[in-house]
Amino acid sequence: MLVSLKWLKDYVNLQELPAQELAEKITRSGIEVDAVIDRSFGMTNVVVGYVEACEKHPEADKLSICQVNVGEETTQIICGAPNIAAGQKVIVARPGAKLPGGIKIKKAKLRGQESNGMICSLQELGIEGKLVPKAYAEGIYVLPEEAEIGTDVVTNFDLDDTVLELGLTPNRADAMSMLGVAYEVGAILDEEVLLPEITYSEAAEKADSLLTVRVDDPEVNPLYVAKVVRNIKVQESPMWLQQRLMAAGVRPHNNVVDVTNYILMEYGQPLHAFDYDLLGTGNITVRHAKEGEKITTLDDAERTLSAHNLVITNGEKPVALAGVMGGANSEVSGSTTTVVIESAYFDSGSIRQTSKDHGLRSDASSRYEKGVDPNRVIPAAERAAALLAELADGEVLAGSVVFDALDRAEKVVSVSPDFINQRLGMKIRFEDMLDILNRLKFKTEAANGQLVISVPTRRQDIQIEEDVVEEIARLYGYDEIPATLPEMETKPGGLTPYQEKRRVVRSLLEGAGLLQATTYSLTSEKSAQQFALTETETTKLLMPMSEERSTLRQSLLPHLLESVSYNTARRSDSVALYETGSVFLKTEDELLNEEEHLAIAMTGLWLDNSWQGERKEADFFVLKGIVESLSEKLGVELAFERGQMDGLHPGRTAFIMNDGKRIGILGQLHPTEQKVRDLKTTIVMELNLAELLHKNSEPLVYTPVPRYPSISRDIALVLSKIVEAGTVVNVIRNAGGKLLKDVRVFDLYEGDKMEAGKKSVAFSLTYFDPEKTLTDEEVTAVHEKVLRALMEVGAELRS
Amino acid sequence: MEEQLQGLKTEALEKIASAANVKELNDVRVAYLGKKGPITDLLKGMGKLPAEERPKMGALVNVVREDVTASLEERMVILEEAAINEKLQSETIDITLPGRPVKTGNPHPLTRVVEEIEDLFISMGYEIAEGPEVEKDYYNFEALNLPKGHPARDMQDSFYITEDILLRTHTSPVQARTMEAKGGEPIKIICPGKVYRRDNDDATHSHQFTQIEGLVIGEDIRMSDLKGTLSVFAKKMFGEDREIRLRPSFFPFTEPSVEMDISCFKCGGTGCNVCKKTGWIEILGAGMVHPNVLEMAGYDSKRLTGFAFGMGPERIAMLKYGVEDIRHFYTNDVRFLSQFQRTEV
């Protein structure tokens, strides 16, 4: 909402406050002022001129040489506007003038001709092009004849004005009108509000002799008022009206349309003017549209209607989309002589729906949607009649044609002062509360210690006691509220075990050298299922903004890999990222199964200590090591099984298993996938973190520090290449029994000293008995058993 | 023979004095005191002496041997120390070369902000509540006093999946769910999480962002309690000398509703580019829980009241760290992420 302070002064005394100060007061008490706009933009030396003569420039087709009387003198100005003509009153920026945007006007020569100033368009005075009346949109603005030559344009045409741009919250529909803002400012400044005076003389003939009104559904249209104004002269509105509309962000058209818009801004009540003769019948019927019925609205769009759209008809065909936009078939034009002014109350839900159906929002619909003041419908119609009589020489027919089933009673809210103070934690005196309610012009009675408040219908946001609490508090001042802390039973706060473990996981991963990433949950349908651990259908948005963000992810990896590619494309060759976040899986239920996953992706160097010659590429085992330390930290057993997944290297992929259940995947990207993503060797991992974090941790009980020494024996085996170390470890463990405390792989050799198809793997075995020092014989006995078991499965000792 | 002995001694002592290192000194030891050395030879030659001279000569030889030995040992200490010093000298390293790097990662800046807020409220007795990101229209809107067709639904254009299911537009549904689950009991929670709105991504908008909200419900919870709580929060997050101010606002789920500004932490309130010359920075929205919200979750709004507040960690991180583009939080450029390593405590 744009509020011209010059206009606002018509209704409320602004106490000569500087605009910034007023804006601050309004902001602090409830409506945020987003901007304070000086309409003059510091303009100087811009005056009314009279074009005494105008001829074509001999050397430039598009330029005219004008002799302009600017009061003090008649001077030559070159003008490029197509609509310049002798006999016009125009806006002249004199040499030395300052215009918006820091433009300074100087004497100049244009194609050899002297030019002493500039004849201006409204755009050059800082008015937005879309607000300039169509007739002047492409050229200079022509002032009315009565404009006085040589006088200052800024002061004469109300450009010495300041506009407050209000950022309205949806509850403050009342402030979508000048009167509403006047009430708000009146309450803040403790000033009275002056309503517009409505006086006009009526013709003898009655409006209902020309017009009937029928409403089919009083539920959605409980009040319809029509006035008929005859013999009107459709013309340009006077300057003051045009300026006020432009200040409010509305483009002037002609006096009839401008009057309806002016009252929309003044009262917040949408009006519509029909050309009576184009209506064709003298009957207005408000009804639901027929399914498939069509109307062409004022914006020249043909719209196909459905039954829940409310239309105004002439008894036969629609002439307006009720509360949203008029129809082209009954539009007021230069040849209109009789108009019907409609002022109505429509149900907000119905208008919202229609506006949404047709993607059509207008100044009218945006007010109806939020609810207009039922007590302004009739005054607005009267005010329109008065202004049309004044500005269009119209003859107002007697009375109105009315359908009225609207309850206009004021809502009564009772609230006790104690309740107000208790909610606020304050001690506001009763008199101060009364004073605030009076300033708001809320009729208030004090009965049995209660405040009984009749809330004016313009404030439909005040419904319950708490709403009154807010009104009192905001005008009393939020700065007055003391700062206390809740008094309640003290309970320890904290994280749930799940949340605490999540933090443990994060700190472990960060300690291991990974950076935490965050990516989007929405992805393309194509990549939604890539790397998914569970196969389910995709979940798509009804109305995505783009295909790229249309579907919920089922794996974190596609976006995490995008982040890796983003980095390598920017020369960060070594990247190690992790992310925890939800993946979204369809279930039988309405809601999705949101599974918290952990994903890791790494590429490039894992370790780089160049001057000591230590370099380690990120590989499968680097990431496996991280997963293993995670398993130890959480105290959950994780096993690795050879696996396969699209997009991963078939020989370098493992499923991560827990309790026999597949809960994750670890592997190197398939070369093809790497190429598609423009990546070098990249290792990825994703697992179902929720599954791990939901497990109860075992209590930690200490194992006595060994009192007896342990004994190590190493074995180097020659194995077939296809035999996995894990298998061998299992054989050793089984044979070693309880004296075997640990088995570690400490060497792997696959070089050319080995027979083809063979490799050498060395294991270090640790024997230990918690009860005593093992003798050499005891160890040898078990060790021999281990060796025999290994021979049985085909392993050979390496000589 | 005595002269011979003295001559040997003088010669030995000279050689000891001139030995340049441990090895040379050891050679001297072997040369003079060894089994084949001249002193041993002299002792062997004692048998040729008359019996009465033997004890005298024996004593003399021993004295010479002891003198030579003492001198040797003394010299040995000096040479050994010199040898160590020489070794140390040769082992000197360039201590300006870089150390072996310890690879460390760090949390995402948003996690950093969220955890800081979580920990502050945990210390004041709050619990952390979480909920689904794909939500029922009921919890996201209706239970929060936003019935279908409510004008305020426009404030947050949403991503629907079906008519009734959508990506949550705020973390408030977690409050509604917690209230429903607590069945009328007092509540003190913080709800962090991801939320989604139909916005085109640009420097200040993101279709996905994070929110963190708080909810307190109990007997006699007053607006002053909200103000006090927010004041503690502002001082802890943005510095002890921060002031707060409340401005009236509107949220369907609270009444009265406010927005909280803090005095600018950069200029202290005198006006700068961070606070756009106003001295104040808008940080969060808050209010007293609307009675309809309480009643819908089964709370007696006459007996129990509450307050709620909500803020955007992106905004806080942008303000705190001077980040100018919200998209940095989601592109995961390591040159950005790795800057959030250092502690600020």
Side-chain angles (χ1 to χ4, degrees), chain A residues 137-184:
Chain A
E138 304 296 329
I140 52 144
Y141 186 72
V142 182
L143 295 168
E145 275 174 34
E146 58 274 18
E148 215 172 301
I149 296 168
T151 55
D152 183 50
V153 164
V154 172
T155 49
N156 272 336
F157 300 104
D158 294 335
L159 289 169
D160 53 342
D161 191 6
T162 302
V163 171
L164 304 186
E165 186 179 344
L166 306 184
L168 294 177
T169 50
N171 60 324
R172 293 305 301 272
D174 63 293
M176 292 177 87
S177 67
M178 294 302 290
L179 282 174
V181 175
Y183 276 107
E184 177 73 9

Side-chain angles (χ1 to χ4, degrees), chain A residues 165-425:
Chain A
E165 186 179 344
L166 306 184
L168 294 177
T169 50
N171 60 324
R172 293 305 301 272
D174 63 293
M176 292 177 87
S177 67
M178 294 302 290
L179 282 174
V181 175
Y183 276 107
E184 177 73 9
V185 171
I188 295 166
L189 302 181
D190 194 8
E191 291 284 351
E192 288 308 310
V193 173
L194 291 168
L195 294 177
E197 255 180 61
I198 302 171
T199 51
Y200 62 90
S201 50
E202 288 186 334
E205 195 171 345
K206 286 186 158 182
D208 59 13
S209 65
L210 265 72
L211 193 72
T212 64
V213 166
R214 201 184 99 188
V215 171
D216 280 0
D217 186 353
E219 284 285 308
V220 293
N221 180 202
L223 177 58
Y224 194 100
V225 181
K227 294 201 76 79
V228 181
V229 186
R230 218 161 43 179
N231 296 330
I232 57 158
K233 224 166 87 191
V234 178
Q235 58 191 9
E236 247 177 59
S237 297
M239 273 304 280
W240 68 265
L241 179 51
Q242 292 194 34
Q243 283 299 345
R244 283 190 171 185
L245 287 178
M246 287 189 279
V250 178
R251 178 182 225 167
H253 291 275
N254 57 49
N255 52 359
V256 176
V257 173
D258 290 354
V259 161
T260 60
N261 283 332
Y262 183 74
I263 289 163
L264 173 84
M265 290 299 157
E266 188 178 44
Y267 280 75
Q269 169 63 41
L271 298 180
H272 185 63
F274 297 101
D275 182 317
Y276 176 83
D277 297 311
L278 291 179
L279 272 182
T281 69
N283 306 314
I284 282 181
T285 301
V286 186
R287 61 162 167 82
H288 289 281
K290 293 168 195 156
E291 207 61 51
E293 201 168 13
K294 288 190 164 60
I295 181 170
T296 300
T297 41
L298 285 174
D299 55 0
D300 290 324
E302 190 185 68
R303 300 176 188 276
T304 306
L305 306 174
S306 54
H308 56 256
N309 298 146
L310 196 67
V311 286
I312 316 297
T313 71
N314 63 357
E316 292 154 18
K317 57 181 197 298
V319 292
L321 197 52
V324 181
M325 194 174 269
N329 55 9
S330 54
E331 184 179 0
V332 171
S333 68
S335 55
T336 301
T337 57
T338 305
V339 293
V340 175
I341 300 293
E342 164 202 289
S343 182
Y345 188 96
F346 298 113
D347 171 67
S348 56
S350 160
I351 302 300
R352 161 179 295 271
Q353 186 62 50
T354 299
S355 170
K356 203 173 151 197
D357 284 355
H358 298 284
L360 183 57
R361 293 200 86 193
S362 59
D363 281 333
S365 72
S366 65
R367 282 170 177 78
Y368 276 126
E369 275 179 16
K370 296 187 171 78
V372 299
D373 179 356
N375 278 310
R376 280 191 197 153
V377 180
I378 292 171
E382 296 298 337
R383 172 89 165 132
L387 281 177
L388 284 179
E390 183 188 330
L391 305 176
D393 300 331
E395 186 190 0
V396 182
L397 298 196
S400 309
V401 191
V402 177
F403 172 86
D404 187 359
L406 180 61
D407 176 11
R408 295 195 273 281
E410 292 184 334
K411 169 113 188 158
V412 176
V413 179
S414 290
V415 55
S416 78
D418 285 350
F419 179 89
I420 294 171
N421 278 327
Q422 189 274 320
R423 283 300 148 92
L424 295 173

Side-chain angles (χ1 to χ4, degrees), chain A residues 494-510 578 580 596 630 633-634 689 693, chain B residues 111-122 128 192 212:
Chain A
L495 299 168
T496 62
Y498 184 100
Q499 292 162 343
E500 218 162 296
K501 280 189 271 184
R502 178 163 50 202
R503 286 198 183 184
V504 166
V505 169
R506 278 185 195 147
S507 76
L508 175 105
L509 298 174
E510 284 151 20
Y578 85 93
T580 60
E596 184 166 7
L630 186 68
K633 191 82 178 177
L634 292 174
L689 185 63
L693 300 190
Chain B
T111 305
R112 193 177 158 124
V113 168
V114 168
E115 287 193 356
E116 192 176 344
I117 297 170
E118 283 179 354
D119 290 344
L120 164 63
F121 283 99
I122 286 172
I128 309 297
I212 185 159

